Amino acid sequence: MADASIGFSRPKWDEYFMLLAKLAAIRSTCLSRPAGVVIVLERQVLATGYNGSMPGVAHCTDEGVCFRRSMRAGEDDKYDLCRAIHAEANAIAQAARRGVSIEGATVYTTLAPCFVCTKLMASARIVRVVYEHEYDSPDRERDEIWRRATEDAGIECEQLTVTNETIERACRLISTTTSLRRPLSESGEPLETDE
């Protein structure tokens, strides 16, 4: 009998890259909405990003308080006073610093892009965005304008929820010693283990 932790179904490419984006989000220093991004071209990761403060500026996680909210900035002023650079912008900047062209690439992001990041992606000639969660700001009209801007820029956009099966399998692999030899029968089939 095969060990259930091994499994034989690999995640589809979109799920795989979304898992990497979710993993990138653990580096986020935003207390409000941690986000992660992976930029991919022809199944090759070109850059990653997460939301966090500018280099040299204190992170909200270090101070234990959201800077924008501590300044009492409202929804209309949030981009003027938020210290965080969005995950998409960080990934695009990372590619630019390394001289990596991202033209024609796909962005996998844990959060649908805002208007500013949509403009950056359009300028960088990103052709597709796969996101996990809707932005869902309190201003639904603004969210719809952002969504239309993505379409107007010719960027294919789709929502993806990673299956529970894939998440459970990833968690099992991450929480154990990933690359230790697994017990196999003499005919090469995986044996059940206590894990």
Side-chain angles (χ1 to χ4, degrees), residues 33 75 78-79 86 111-119 134-153 157:
R33 296 180 89 166
E75 195 58 29
K78 70 183 193 175
Y79 294 115
H86 285 187
L111 185 61
C114 72
F115 193 47
V116 172
C117 289
T118 295
K119 292 187 286 186
E134 294 287 351
Y135 198 88
D136 283 336
S137 76
D139 186 340
R140 300 292 185 199
E141 185 178 346
R142 182 176 62 194
D143 289 353
E144 186 54 35
I145 291 169
W146 294 353
R147 195 177 339 276
R148 279 195 315 265
T150 307
E151 292 171 13
D152 291 345
C157 202

Side-chain angles (χ1 to χ4, degrees), residues 92 102-103 117-126 153 155:
I92 291 168
I102 57 175
E103 184 172 351
C117 289
T118 295
K119 292 187 286 186
L120 286 171
M121 290 187 297
S123 182
R125 302 295 192 262
I126 297 295
I155 300 172

Side-chain angles (χ1 to χ4, degrees), residues 7-13 15 166 169:
F8 292 101
S9 91
R10 297 192 304 173
K12 296 193 181 311
W13 284 108
E15 272 195 318
T166 296
R169 182 166 182 233

Side-chain angles (χ1 to χ4, degrees), residues 37-190:
V37 163
V38 177
I39 300 177
V40 175
L41 181 64
E42 298 174 2
R43 297 183 182 163
Q44 177 67 50
V45 174
L46 302 178
T48 63
Y50 50 87
N51 54 338
S53 295
M54 298 178 289
V57 176
H59 295 288
C60 294
T61 52
D62 295 337
E63 294 185 335
V65 62
C66 171
F67 179 76
R68 174 183 68 86
R69 291 193 179 132
S70 72
M71 300 298 293
R72 307 250 188 269
E75 195 58 29
D76 291 338
D77 298 324
K78 70 183 193 175
Y79 294 115
D80 293 331
L81 290 175
C82 179
R83 290 192 291 204
I85 300 168
H86 285 187
E88 298 91 338
N90 266 327
I92 291 168
Q94 182 188 83
R97 282 193 312 274
R98 291 182 168 71
V100 175
S101 173
I102 57 175
E103 184 172 351
T106 296
V107 168
Y108 292 87
T109 177
T110 58
L111 185 61
C114 72
F115 193 47
V116 172
C117 289
T118 295
K119 292 187 286 186
L120 286 171
M121 290 187 297
S123 182
R125 302 295 192 262
I126 297 295
V127 297
R128 182 172 175 243
V129 173
V130 179
Y131 66 93
E132 181 179 36
H133 297 288
E134 294 287 351
Y135 198 88
D136 283 336
S137 76
D139 186 340
R140 300 292 185 199
E141 185 178 346
R142 182 176 62 194
D143 289 353
E144 186 54 35
I145 291 169
W146 294 353
R147 195 177 339 276
R148 279 195 315 265
T150 307
E151 292 171 13
D152 291 345
I155 300 172
E156 179 187 338
C157 202
E158 63 186 88
Q159 188 171 17
L160 171 72
T161 301
V162 178
T163 64
N164 286 337
E165 176 188 4
T166 296
I167 292 198
E168 288 168 9
R169 182 166 182 233
C171 288
R172 279 194 305 271
L173 285 170
I174 290 170
S175 65
T176 63
T177 310
T178 306
S179 296
L180 285 182
R181 186 179 315 277
R182 293 183 174 130
L184 301 176
S185 71
E186 287 185 26
S187 60
E189 296 172 345

Side-chain angles (χ1 to χ4, degrees), residues 21-33:
K22 290 169 78 66
L23 195 56
I26 68 172
R27 288 282 305 158
S28 171
T29 61
C30 178
L31 293 170
S32 178
R33 296 180 89 166

